[in-house]
Amino acid sequence: MNINRQVLTLDEFTIQGLRDFPKATGELSSLLRDIGLAAKRVNVEVNKAGLVDILGDAGTMNVQGEEVKKLDIYANNQFMGVLKHGIACAGIASEELDDIVVFDDPVSNNSKYVCMFDPLDGSGNIDVNVSIGTIFSIYRRVSELGKPCTEEDFLQPGNKQVAAGYVIYGSSTMLVYATRRGVNGFTLDPSIGEFSLSHPNIQCPESGKIYSVNHGNFFQYDKPVQKYIDGCQRKTKTTGGPYTQRYIGSMVADVHRNLIKGGIFMYPGTTDKPKGKLRLLYECNPFAFIVEVAGGKATNGKQRILDIQPTELHQRTPLFIGSKAMMEELEVLLNAEPAEAAV
Ligand code: P6P
């Protein structure tokens, strides 16, 4: 047995990456380690949420107009805190905050990066013990170093992301992040309290047999989307169905499963919500970056998610994301003439 065989921790992995790039300043590695620390703190609270009075609505409404649960606030403050007191982040944007937070201190103003996050996505599932997650997205600033960051730093298209990732608080707690060099997954090892490399170089399977969508909205979807969903339930000239339907109602859990096993996740626009429900900057862009680096695709039905030029922090977008071949099946229908699209 190789006694020196060790599973790399997140810290060792990011530091080892620096050895490959001697000119790197180490700021991005530092930022990722900060996120890992906050994730461990959130994990502790998520894992005991049922035991202490941290559940239940905090009584406030967030910018989405949704009841905010106490754990959302706790998670938001953990991620904001480690980033503010780190050396690599000039400011943040969060699903839980109306506006950006400019850290505006000498160290932060000289930091190269800004970070956006959804601190606890799927929080409506907290009370029923369904997997939930944190989603994050990292950009290099476009504003002048040495000065406070500006909103312009946050309204960059997703194709400018330097790194993106998520934490899934599930049967085990995993941190998965992507840079242009690849996607790697780290599972929290409670025996040492460290995220340890468990899923190196994640590739999204070229195709799959899982489709994820909220069927309750079926009659509000456009005809091409209805036609594709129909094709997921039986073989058609454009789809290889029948597939298996899996939908947890927690984006991080649904997209993570499809990333590993292959599949397609859809949150289309509806007649009530033409822009859909999911947020571009801190939900769709990070997952689109991760899935594309892993070999998959992500669009809003017409355009690559990563090419969308944002105009506001909390804007929504329809999302279709997953295995390349399944996405291409869908695109045949989305691009077909309307006459083709009727179910
Ligand atoms: P629906 C959770 O509230 C969330 O933002 C995502 O995590 C999830 O994929 C989606 O909403 C579920 O929405 O309308 O299907 O319940």
Side-chain angles (χ1 to χ4, degrees):
M1 179 182 81
N2 172 0
I3 58 173
N4 294 323
R5 182 191 175 282
Q6 281 181 345
V7 177
L8 284 179
T9 67
L10 175 64
D11 292 6
E12 289 170 321
F13 185 84
T14 55
I15 289 166
Q16 189 161 326
L18 288 179
R19 293 167 65 92
D20 299 342
F21 292 89
K23 289 192 173 64
T25 62
E27 279 190 74
L28 180 60
S29 300
S30 168
L31 205 162
L32 290 166
R33 291 200 301 275
D34 291 343
I35 288 172
L37 172 60
K40 286 191 277 191
R41 290 178 174 150
V42 172
N43 180 62
V44 168
E45 294 309 320
V46 167
N47 281 349
K48 65 183 183 184
L51 300 175
V52 297
D53 178 30
I54 199 165
L55 278 178
D57 296 352
T60 60
M61 304 287 277
N62 68 16
V63 66
Q64 330 299 335
E66 295 163 344
E67 281 294 308
V68 177
K69 296 192 180 299
K70 294 174 187 171
L71 221 44
D72 296 74
I73 298 172
Y74 176 83
N76 183 72
N77 295 345
Q78 288 305 314
F79 285 96
M80 187 164 59
V82 294
L83 294 171
K84 179 173 176 58
H85 298 108
I87 59 161
C89 187
I92 61 104
S94 167
E95 180 185 34
E96 295 304 333
L97 303 173
D98 296 4
D99 302 307
I100 65 171
V101 175
V102 179
F103 292 154
D104 195 10
D105 63 71
V107 173
S108 300
N109 288 348
N110 277 297
S111 297
K112 284 195 295 195
Y113 301 110
V114 292
C115 186
M116 282 175 263
F117 50 82
D118 181 350
L120 211 55
D121 178 76
S123 53
N125 294 304
I126 292 172
D127 302 49
V128 292
N129 211 17
V130 166
S131 297
I132 52 181
T134 298
I135 312 166
F136 61 90
S137 175
I138 299 167
Y139 288 80
R140 189 171 283 102
R141 295 172 60 174
V142 292
S143 57
E144 187 180 342
L145 272 186
K147 293 184 177 175
C149 62
T150 66
E151 189 169 67
E152 187 189 8
D153 293 317
F154 298 87
L155 294 180
Q156 299 182 63
N159 58 38
K160 298 290 188 190
Q161 286 175 100
V162 173
Y166 58 89
V167 183
I168 178 165
Y169 310 99
S171 50
S172 64
T173 296
M174 273 190 75
L175 186 151
V176 176
Y177 82 87
T179 63
R180 295 192 185 288
R181 298 177 66 203
V183 185
N184 291 284
F186 301 80
T187 299
L188 185 59
D189 178 347
S191 69
I192 58 170
E194 294 289 353
F195 283 105
S196 300
L197 184 62
S198 55
H199 297 67
N201 190 29
I202 295 173
Q203 298 292 312
C204 183
E206 164 83 10
S207 190
K209 291 286 185 188
I210 295 171
Y211 75 102
S212 308
V213 70
N214 183 335
H215 270 273
N217 297 330
F218 181 84
F219 293 106
Q220 290 196 56
Y221 296 144
D222 293 343
K223 289 298 182 198
V225 174
Q226 290 181 349
K227 189 174 173 70
Y228 179 71
I229 294 171
D230 176 69
C232 288
Q233 300 171 80
R234 61 192 174 95
K235 188 169 178 51
T236 65
K237 63 180 179 180
T238 50
T239 64
Y243 302 140
T244 295
Q245 203 269 348
R246 289 286 183 272
Y247 190 74
I248 298 172
S250 183
M251 179 185 194
V252 175
D254 278 318
V255 180
H256 175 72
R257 178 201 53 243
N258 294 0
L259 172 67
I260 301 297
K261 291 181 173 244
I264 187 169
F265 173 91
M266 299 172 274
Y267 206 104
T270 62
T271 43
D272 289 352
K273 298 178 184 173
K275 289 283 188 190
K277 172 182 182 182
L278 303 179
R279 306 294 173 169
L280 173 63
L281 292 189
Y282 40 77
E283 291 175 334
C284 298
N285 268 339
F287 271 117
F289 182 81
I290 294 161
V291 168
E292 283 203 8
V293 171
K297 295 184 81 171
T299 77
N300 66 359
K302 298 184 179 66
Q303 181 182 10
R304 183 174 173 243
I305 289 287
L306 296 182
D307 292 339
I308 298 173
Q309 175 56 56
T311 54
E312 55 186 73
L313 281 182
H314 302 288
Q315 72 185 73
R316 302 173 193 268
T317 176
L319 176 68
F320 303 89
I321 187 169
S323 293
K324 188 168 176 290
M326 298 179 86
M327 285 290 295
E328 288 169 353
E329 285 179 348
L330 169 67
E331 285 162 358
V332 168
L333 299 173
L334 293 176
N335 299 330
E337 289 307 312
E340 280 282 313
V343 174

